[in-house]
Amino acid sequence: MRYILLIGFLTLPLFNLQSQVKKLVRHKVQLGISSGADNSQHSHYILSNLSLHLLSGYTGAIQGFQISGISNRSFLYANGLQLSAFSNVTGNLAFRPEKQLDFEFRGVQLGTLINKIEGDGKGLQIGSYNRVSKTFQGVQLGLMNAIQRGALGLQIGGILNYAPKRNSMAQIGLFNYSFDAGLMYEKGFFFMRDHFQLGLINITNDNHGWQIGLINFSKDNKGIPVGLINTNTSHGEGNLAANEIMNTYLTISNGSKYLLNRLIVGYNYSWNKNINWTAGYGLELKYYKNKNYNSVSLSHDLLYLMQRNEKWTQGLPTSRISLNFSYDIFKKYLPPLQVGVSYNIGYFSNEVAQLDLLLIMKETQNRTHWIGFDFGFKL
């Protein structure tokens, strides 16, 4: 008797598997209050063209429309529209029909809370939380969007966009995360061939496109980051120098190889004694002659000159365009030398600023133009 029970226990999964591969039965229309009131025991073997339920809909596959008041579930795949007040789910990676599917979903999922594709998808998802467990081509619009595998398209998220595998897409939201951006497809989505991130904080492993945000993180940046703080492990540098206004200022630059963002802070303790300190932000275009820190750069900085014994709100705004050259003349003994020349526009009268400037080009009641210099070392 024990052997009979053991054989029955071992062979039970085979009967379940045989029942799973049962062919789909086409029902053009399913109507009812909810799945269970109609075709209840066989709903997951039904292929519907129209599934319309007052509460929730459950079917094997959709080739058309699945509409319900609360939630929709398509067990195998859906080609068309899933529309509900709260949630839509399609696909099941543990069970696929006789022929392999290219996509578990093609079409539009529209639900206020959750839209979920278990497998590959193509189309549009609109809801609070949109998730695809494999690859996706299309648009996700919600508070939080996630694509677990490769992605091609657009994510617009109020809070978070998440694509941890290789992709070519645009992410627009407060927080954006992607991996190897711009390497998934040879052809981009609409206007994009590479990657685009726009948000408060953007994070990617390898960036091959654009990052625009307050803070941009990347391990290797072959694209163009634009932000207040850009960090990556391959393109960053610092300069310690003096100019005609400040006798000590520090510049920290980071970004891509040819376009860097500059954070500037300086302190003055000798010349131009009316100016105490300065801070600023700028952009720098750089050309490298070789890897020995021999470079030519063109930068535009916006500076704020703080006067001694004055409130910080009474600082002097200045625009500075600089052409700088660096050369590793001292080789192993000292850091590379940097020299440069600049054209400056101060939005103030020099009678107020009392700057000791050698080459004033033009001076009016509210502007002062002068030629300046930079001299220092690359760190």
Side-chain angles (χ1 to χ4, degrees):
M1 186 65 181
R2 287 182 297 178
Y3 293 106
I4 295 175
L5 293 175
L6 180 60
I7 293 173
F9 178 76
L10 294 175
T11 57
L12 182 60
L14 299 178
F15 291 101
N16 291 336
L17 180 61
Q18 184 178 2
S19 65
Q20 280 188 338
V21 298
K22 182 177 179 180
K23 292 184 179 180
L24 295 174
V25 177
R26 180 180 291 274
H27 285 201
K28 291 186 177 181
V29 179
Q30 284 184 291
L31 300 175
I33 297 176
S34 66
S35 293
D38 59 329
N39 305 305
S40 58
Q41 66 272 28
H42 302 295
S43 294
H44 52 289
Y45 296 122
I46 293 176
L47 171 62
S48 298
N49 296 114
L50 174 61
S51 177
L52 183 61
H53 295 87
L54 181 62
L55 298 179
S56 61
Y58 183 95
T59 188
I62 290 294
Q63 192 74 39
F65 302 91
Q66 188 177 29
I67 303 172
S68 66
I70 297 178
S71 64
N72 290 313
R73 177 71 167 96
S74 178
F75 186 63
L76 296 177
Y77 65 89
N79 293 328
L81 170 67
Q82 282 188 311
L83 174 63
S84 71
F86 295 103
S87 67
N88 302 293
V89 181
T90 187
N92 188 337
L93 296 180
F95 171 56
R96 290 190 173 192
E98 297 174 356
K99 66 177 182 177
Q100 189 79 359
L101 293 173
D102 293 330
F103 294 93
E104 273 71 22
F105 182 80
R106 291 175 182 265
V108 178
Q109 282 185 322
L110 179 57
T112 58
L113 291 181
I114 299 174
N115 295 303
K116 187 177 180 181
I117 300 173
E118 292 293 340
D120 300 297
K122 188 175 185 179
L124 172 66
Q125 290 182 308
I126 301 176
S128 298
Y129 175 57
N130 304 304
R131 181 182 183 275
V132 180
S133 65
K134 295 185 73 176
T135 64
F136 184 72
Q137 300 179 35
V139 177
Q140 289 182 316
L141 177 61
L143 292 178
M144 294 185 291
N145 303 306
I147 303 172
Q148 297 300 121
R149 300 285 182 87
L152 173 65
L154 173 65
Q155 287 181 318
I156 300 177
I159 299 176
L160 173 67
N161 294 309
Y162 181 75
K165 299 297 181 180
R166 295 189 175 188
N167 60 81
S168 294
M169 63 186 309
Q171 293 178 312
I172 301 174
L174 289 179
F175 304 96
N176 301 305
Y177 177 85
S178 68
F179 181 87
D180 283 354
L183 298 179
M184 180 63 187
Y185 297 92
E186 292 182 359
K187 295 182 179 179
F189 181 77
F190 292 135
F191 60 88
M192 294 174 301
R193 181 181 178 88
D194 293 317
H195 192 78
F196 177 85
Q197 287 182 317
L198 174 62
L200 182 67
I201 298 177
N202 301 307
I203 303 173
T204 184
N205 186 52
D206 293 323
N207 181 38
H208 293 253
W210 286 78
Q211 284 184 305
I212 302 175
L214 182 65
I215 302 174
N216 300 308
F217 295 99
S218 65
K219 183 177 179 181
D220 187 16
N221 209 323
K222 299 179 177 64
I224 300 176
V226 179
L228 182 63
I229 299 176
N230 301 289
T231 64
N232 64 79
T233 58
S234 58
H235 305 297
E237 61 185 42
N239 302 322
L240 183 62
N243 58 31
E244 77 285 355
I245 303 175
M246 312 296 296
N247 50 32
T248 303
Y249 74 94
L250 175 67
T251 301
I252 299 176
S253 303
N254 209 305
S256 65
K257 184 176 181 180
Y258 300 107
L259 177 62
L260 297 95
N261 301 100
R262 293 158 54 92
L263 295 178
I264 305 163
V265 62
Y267 181 75
N268 194 26
Y269 56 85
S270 59
W271 57 69
N272 286 314
K273 295 182 179 181
N274 189 44
I275 303 299
N276 190 20
W277 58 268
T278 185
Y281 172 81
L283 292 175
E284 181 178 10
L285 291 172
K286 185 176 289 291
Y287 169 75
Y288 293 89
K289 184 178 180 181
N290 56 46
K291 63 182 180 180
N292 295 322
Y293 293 98
N294 300 332
S295 64
V296 180
S297 66
L298 179 66
S299 62
H300 184 197
D301 301 325
L302 299 177
L303 303 174
Y304 192 74
L305 308 179
M306 184 61 199
Q307 303 179 83
R308 295 182 188 274
N309 303 320
E310 296 287 349
K311 296 181 179 180
W312 69 270
T313 54
Q314 297 178 347
L316 307 175
T318 302
S319 175
R320 184 180 183 91
I321 300 175
S322 303
L323 180 64
N324 293 304
F325 303 86
S326 67
Y327 188 77
D328 194 8
I329 188 172
F330 302 108
K331 303 299 179 183
K332 299 180 180 181
Y333 301 102
L334 288 174
L337 181 67
Q338 176 177 286
V339 295
V341 62
S342 65
Y343 182 80
N344 304 267
I345 302 176
Y347 297 92
F348 50 82
S349 170
N350 198 36
E351 294 181 1
V352 176
Q354 298 180 9
L355 297 178
D356 185 13
L357 302 173
L358 297 177
L359 295 175
I360 295 180
M361 306 299 293
K362 182 180 178 181
E363 185 176 1
T364 63
Q365 291 182 352
N366 53 11
R367 289 190 183 183
T368 303
H369 300 247
W370 74 92
I371 301 296
F373 69 89
D374 293 279
F375 181 84
F377 297 94
K378 296 176 65 68
L379 303 179

